[in-house]
Amino acid sequence: MTREIEKQLSAHQEQYKNRGILLVRCPDQPGIIAAVSRFLFQYSANIIDSSQYSTNPEGGDFFIRIEFACEDLQQKKEEIKTSFKAIAENFSMDWKMNFPSEVKRTAIFASKELHCLRELLFEWQSGDLITDIAVVVSNHETARELVEGFGIPFVHIQASKENRSEAEAAQLKILQDYEIDVIVLARYMQILTPAFVEAHPKQIINIHHSFLPAFVGARPYDRAYQRGVKLIGATAHYVTNDLDEGPIIEQDIERVNHRDNIENMKKIGRSIERRVLARAVKWHLEDRIIVDGNKTIVF
Amino acid sequence: MTREIEKQLSAHQEQYKNRGILLVRCPDQPGIIAAVSRFLFQYSANIIDSSQYSTNPEGGDFFIRIEFACEDLQQKKEEIKTSFKAIAENFSMDWKMNFPSEVKRTAIFASKELHCLRELLFEWQSGDLITDIAVVVSNHETARELVEGFGIPFVHIQASKENRSEAEAAQLKILQDYEIDVIVLARYMQILTPAFVEAHPKQIINIHHSFLPAFVGARPYDRAYQRGVKLIGATAHYVTNDLDEGPIIEQDIERVNHRDNIENMKKIGRSIERRVLARAVKWHLEDRIIVDGNKTIVF
Amino acid sequence: MTREIEKQLSAHQEQYKNRGILLVRCPDQPGIIAAVSRFLFQYSANIIDSSQYSTNPEGGDFFIRIEFACEDLQQKKEEIKTSFKAIAENFSMDWKMNFPSEVKRTAIFASKELHCLRELLFEWQSGDLITDIAVVVSNHETARELVEGFGIPFVHIQASKENRSEAEAAQLKILQDYEIDVIVLARYMQILTPAFVEAHPKQIINIHHSFLPAFVGARPYDRAYQRGVKLIGATAHYVTNDLDEGPIIEQDIERVNHRDNIENMKKIGRSIERRVLARAVKWHLEDRIIVDGNKTIVF
Amino acid sequence: MTREIEKQLSAHQEQYKNRGILLVRCPDQPGIIAAVSRFLFQYSANIIDSSQYSTNPEGGDFFIRIEFACEDLQQKKEEIKTSFKAIAENFSMDWKMNFPSEVKRTAIFASKELHCLRELLFEWQSGDLITDIAVVVSNHETARELVEGFGIPFVHIQASKENRSEAEAAQLKILQDYEIDVIVLARYMQILTPAFVEAHPKQIINIHHSFLPAFVGARPYDRAYQRGVKLIGATAHYVTNDLDEGPIIEQDIERVNHRDNIENMKKIGRSIERRVLARAVKWHLEDRIIVDGNKTIVF
């Protein structure tokens, strides 16, 4: 990490030292908000922002994200977390309480196409992506100079169909060593094994270069060109063991026309991929996403 | 109103007979959500949807929209409203509680260009705009056949700079007779007097055919063409006594290029105006908007 | 047709009486534009607008659309057409020369969902769709009042899987009787037989309620909801015998989020379908489209 | 320039060594296209792409961009240029003939906000911006490391209201020394004198951080926030001596809402500025733009 980025992160931690974020999912019933808001009020916490969603008020699921501010939170946060358990149990909540001052640690997996990696580094350097990019892993050397220029460790792990298990063993060790919270596949192009994916549920974000579910799988721009579509797109999603079938976080598109050959579509596509992935990662880092089966709720 | 639309409205009233919407604005302080949610819980009301916004958690303003469901609401709603006053006073709230089953009564003001009027009637007929369009007022006869075809009274009131006060007197009488809640200026093209506007605060929605604050005033498409812009737009806003300066509800744009002459820009613009106005009216009818000075909060 | 629309069409025919449009497709080679422009120059025709496209300058296909103005065109047009044949043969052209004053005759096929039909009638009435809507055919009575209100003949032909061949025989007779050039399926929802489709190559435009190739087939909004997409869309395409696989003319999308249930998606989708279909029909009527295999070139 | 980018540029020059681009503006009259296409045919040049536009077929202006391919162009290009003069005179043409193999030399002027500079370097490195970025000039040291990392000379010239004439003298010398064709103001934030601007007509591209003509001048995001707009935008334009009034090349927008404070608007705005400026510079480098008074024609 460069000194400039270090200073940005410290400033962020200072600014948000009294902030907490509560993410909840539970069966819907009257009284949830009353209970949670009374709880926070007891700790003199002020609700800064809250968003909720009910799949179906009669007997569906209830989701809420609450951002709160509370003086001297650093001293009180463990106590708050502990005493929230009673409410959580009462309402059968699936929940977590995070603190923006505890910056998440990110690993980026890259390959030879660097536009998504560059965009993330770019946004990071601009202070628009609050995280500690702890390591970049790649199966090629292409990104080394770029990555090391940002003061980030770059680890080359040769990976292919043939050596998948050894490669993943090496990758898993890296993730452990660097205490990684989030893995971003920035056009990594290698398929991960079920074991790897299951070890990181809702922690791996991938960018697919089409608007899913159109053009699942390989060579989406070639197929978009063949089909004569008038829009091309990109999709950021959590990785599951069904290829390109994980919960979608964000999608976007651009117009194309008959003049755009495959090469052009790829150029246009790169700019879509960049912004879609950057938004998805940002929302994940800001604890804005709750996964609901194969869907995401983005607050 | 045609029988088909009457049936739609009745179905809506039946479906939403137990729903209430609370809109609040007050100085921010801890405990507001706790107090409101406890209040609703006491009436066994389930919070279906809630959105809040704080301008500044330390000493700013707090805004919330809560949609709740409550059995036998029709019997209880007056009591709920009355007993809410204590909380409202406690927190110095500016508030209202509306009920979707009490359908708002709308007057549309039109002139010779009918695309916005048609769009509203279209969306109304499709069931996408829940209101009672009680009357259409126009300073021309152009829309009579269209309007009467929908079973809506059409009132022609000649209006120009010269007879403004008589015209407005006649219009005000119509608004009173029809017990109007919302006035939509669907390309009405006449300026209203301060007296008229002040009599209907936050109740008059206008569509301006540019993305404000660009091209305030007359002939925006001509001026957009002269300036060589690459985007044209439209803006729906509440009417205040500063021409085209009222709180903006919604804006949208489309791309244009050098081939688009003024006539073309008007064509493209019509489709933007239609959808921008329809969205703004819809949000107003659904009680999604809180006006904050010269801005809107759209929940 | 109402008198107002009749007047608009007459005005259009007068305004464009000296305009011609040439659409060409041929193997690429040097000299095509030189030959065509010299030809037009000999007739004192001024090229108003021209667009061209080459799939691949070396040995690919060449496409051009030329709009020209020529004094006394009505007297000369047959001669121009005839004498162009020599050039066309020379370059192995697939071509047509149309005249905007010869207004195309359109049949709209509708069913019970009327938003697309209404949009076309709306745009037609506003003068934004230059055609003679000669007849509306439907397998339900729902649209009769609306259609007849515009002075357009409405023909109810009951159609289902069971009576497909009789229904199509009746439809084909109608198309013949009304001398139809363009058939628009405005959410017609019935599958047409190969015989019907082949009798009208590149003449039938359909609107599909998804961004193809995602969600081919039935119930696309339900499936979009299940998949948790963040964008929904619509696609206008020429009908071929492969369901939803014909050449795409236009597509567009809107954002949705977790709050949008299927009903909401349908509402949002209706506004996308309306504008996508209206644009596609407009471009077809203005002779802007050349079909190239399974793609369209829209000039 | 890094070796990687050098290789890309060489590959481009080789690929396009036989390509030429003709840009023409002249009074409209029949026969222009015939004359030009015959001329190119005589040199066995194949028209790869052509776009034209007439402001008004009767007595207006005519604009055309023709991209042609011609074997052994490098040997013939001077002859073609010379012999075109006869046609150009005949039709009173304002014209230029450029060759993609003659890569334009660009100077970027930057200041302390680096997102636009970074985007241009990013696109350049990805091969999406074909130019020789010969020098970066800045009135701050902030960008030095970034720029020199790309192997580009970085020149710091202190500039403020007080020393404008000396600063511009130094800048002009740099532009001359580096034989600059295009100047890009990538959030340079200093006003240029008329003398400087007039010395580089249609050669200076600026990015303004609003959708012009809204929010001309300083602090547009602050003013957008105050006005409560629902869209913010950016505009790339050629610099003239009327502040923010030069011919617009490209504009784009993003949605904002009441939750977006000024800081947020700036973040969102940065991503709009980046892509709008990158597109405008790309179109300029590809000789796609003809300036027509205060408008641009972008082919």
Side-chain angles (χ1 to χ4, degrees), chain C residues 150-190:
Chain C
F150 280 86
I152 302 169
F154 176 87
V155 180
H156 175 242
I157 297 176
Q158 201 273 323
S160 65
K161 271 189 200 171
E162 285 65 39
N163 75 337
R164 197 156 281 165
S165 64
E166 295 122 80
E168 289 198 352
Q171 289 164 351
L172 285 167
K173 188 165 180 331
I174 292 289
L175 297 177
Q176 227 162 19
D177 289 356
Y178 283 97
E179 298 174 54
I180 294 305
D181 302 303
V182 190
I183 302 160
V184 181
L185 308 183
R187 297 296 305 270
Y188 176 57
M189 310 306 278
Q190 295 287 319

Side-chain angles (χ1 to χ4, degrees), chain B residues 51-55 211-215 224-231 234 237 244-253 255 257-260 279 283 294-299, chain D residues 51-55 211-215 224-231 234 237 244-253 255 257-260 279 283 294-299:
Chain B
S51 303
Q52 67 152 98
Y53 166 65
S54 304
T55 51
F211 49 81
L212 291 173
F215 310 121
Y225 177 78
Q226 298 308 333
R227 181 61 188 91
V229 295
K230 301 296 185 185
L231 305 172
H237 63 95
D244 301 333
E245 298 283 347
I248 294 171
I249 304 169
E250 169 65 339
Q251 307 188 281
D252 209 347
I253 55 102
R255 291 197 163 268
N257 64 41
H258 59 271
R259 290 181 198 278
D260 294 305
R279 280 184 210 146
W283 295 339
N294 204 38
K295 298 184 186 185
T296 62
I297 289 148
V298 181
F299 281 127
Chain D
S51 302
Q52 68 150 100
Y53 165 65
S54 304
T55 52
F211 49 82
L212 292 174
F215 309 121
Y225 177 78
Q226 298 309 333
R227 182 60 189 92
V229 294
K230 301 297 185 186
L231 305 172
H237 63 94
D244 300 334
E245 297 284 348
I248 294 172
I249 303 169
E250 170 64 340
Q251 306 187 283
D252 208 346
I253 57 103
R255 290 197 163 269
N257 65 41
H258 59 271
R259 288 180 199 277
D260 294 305
R279 279 183 210 145
W283 295 339
N294 203 38
K295 297 184 187 185
T296 61
I297 289 147
V298 181
F299 282 126

Side-chain angles (χ1 to χ4, degrees), chain B residues 67-291:
Chain B
E67 192 169 338
F68 59 91
C70 176
E71 241 173 273
D72 300 322
L73 182 63
Q74 294 303 318
Q75 285 79 60
K76 296 192 254 171
K77 66 186 182 183
E78 287 314 313
E79 186 198 333
I80 293 178
K81 250 176 143 166
T82 307
S83 65
F84 188 73
K85 280 179 193 159
I87 290 180
E89 236 161 73
N90 227 1
F91 289 94
S92 307
M93 286 176 178
D94 185 9
W95 67 287
K96 58 184 168 184
M97 196 183 286
N98 287 343
F99 303 95
S101 59
E102 298 175 3
V103 169
K104 291 190 176 64
R105 295 175 61 80
T106 298
I108 302 176
F109 279 39
S111 190
K112 281 194 289 193
E113 292 221 55
L114 304 187
H115 55 283
C116 285
L117 171 62
R118 270 203 201 103
E119 179 75 14
L120 294 172
L121 296 174
F122 190 132
E123 290 283 285
W124 187 53
Q125 191 168 42
S126 305
D128 291 341
L129 217 58
I130 300 300
T131 184
D132 180 351
I133 301 184
V135 64
V136 172
V137 174
S138 177
N139 55 339
H140 290 93
E141 284 287 345
T142 328
R144 181 180 292 278
E145 199 183 317
L146 171 70
V147 170
E148 293 182 346
F150 280 84
I152 303 168
F154 176 88
V155 181
H156 176 242
I157 297 175
Q158 201 275 322
S160 64
K161 271 189 202 173
E162 287 65 38
N163 76 337
R164 196 157 283 165
S165 64
E166 296 124 78
E168 288 198 352
Q171 288 164 353
L172 284 167
K173 187 162 179 333
I174 293 289
L175 297 177
Q176 228 162 18
D177 290 356
Y178 284 96
E179 299 175 56
I180 293 304
D181 302 303
V182 190
I183 302 160
V184 181
L185 307 183
R187 297 295 304 271
Y188 176 56
M189 311 305 279
Q190 295 286 320
I191 290 172
L192 303 170
T193 67
F196 190 98
V197 171
E198 279 152 24
H200 304 89
K202 305 172 198 173
Q203 291 179 329
I204 313 176
I205 297 172
N206 183 44
I207 180 76
H208 181 74
H209 36 321
S210 78
F211 49 81
L212 291 173
F215 310 121
V216 166
R219 308 183 73 73
Y221 292 123
D222 297 63
R223 287 149 65 207
Y225 177 78
Q226 298 308 333
R227 181 61 188 91
V229 295
K230 301 296 185 185
L231 305 172
I232 59 171
T235 304
H237 63 95
Y238 286 111
V239 175
T240 61
N241 280 318
D242 298 307
L243 182 66
D244 301 333
E245 298 283 347
I248 294 171
I249 304 169
E250 169 65 339
Q251 307 188 281
D252 209 347
I253 55 102
E254 293 272 345
R255 291 197 163 268
V256 292
N257 64 41
H258 59 271
R259 290 181 198 278
D260 294 305
N261 57 20
I262 296 175
E263 207 43 56
N264 253 359
M265 284 191 176
K266 285 182 181 170
K267 274 189 199 186
I268 296 167
R270 282 199 283 268
S271 82
I272 315 173
E273 295 164 34
R274 284 159 58 184
R275 66 174 185 261
V276 167
L277 181 60
R279 280 184 210 146
V281 171
K282 194 165 180 257
W283 295 339
H284 179 93
L285 293 171
E286 294 177 354
D287 290 308
R288 299 198 167 278
I289 310 176
I290 301 181
V291 174

Side-chain angles (χ1 to χ4, degrees), chain D residues 96 104-110 120 137 168 171-172 175 180-208 235-250 277 280-282 284-285 289 291 294 296:
Chain D
K96 58 183 167 185
K104 291 190 177 62
R105 295 175 62 79
T106 298
I108 303 177
F109 279 40
L120 294 173
V137 174
E168 289 197 352
Q171 289 164 351
L172 284 167
L175 298 177
I180 294 304
D181 301 303
V182 190
I183 302 160
V184 181
L185 307 182
R187 296 297 304 272
Y188 176 56
M189 310 306 278
Q190 295 288 319
I191 290 174
L192 303 170
T193 66
F196 190 98
V197 171
E198 278 152 25
H200 304 88
K202 305 173 197 172
Q203 290 178 329
I204 312 175
I205 296 174
N206 184 43
I207 180 76
H208 182 74
T235 304
H237 63 94
Y238 286 111
V239 175
T240 62
N241 280 317
D242 298 308
L243 183 65
D244 300 334
E245 297 284 348
I248 294 172
I249 303 169
E250 170 64 340
L277 181 60
V281 171
K282 195 166 179 257
H284 180 91
L285 293 172
I289 311 176
V291 174
N294 203 38
T296 61

Side-chain angles (χ1 to χ4, degrees), chain C residues 39-93:
Chain C
F39 172 85
L40 289 169
F41 186 55
Q42 283 162 3
Y43 283 94
S44 307
N46 193 5
I47 297 179
I48 300 297
D49 195 10
S50 89
S51 303
Q52 66 150 101
Y53 165 64
S54 304
T55 51
N56 175 354
E58 283 109 46
D61 280 325
F62 173 89
F63 301 83
I64 196 164
R65 177 189 188 270
I66 292 176
E67 193 169 337
F68 59 89
C70 175
E71 242 173 273
D72 300 322
L73 183 62
Q74 295 303 319
Q75 285 80 58
K76 294 194 256 173
K77 65 186 183 185
E78 288 313 315
E79 185 198 333
I80 293 178
K81 249 174 143 168
T82 306
S83 65
F84 188 73
K85 280 177 193 163
I87 289 180
E89 236 162 72
N90 227 359
F91 290 93
S92 308
M93 287 176 178

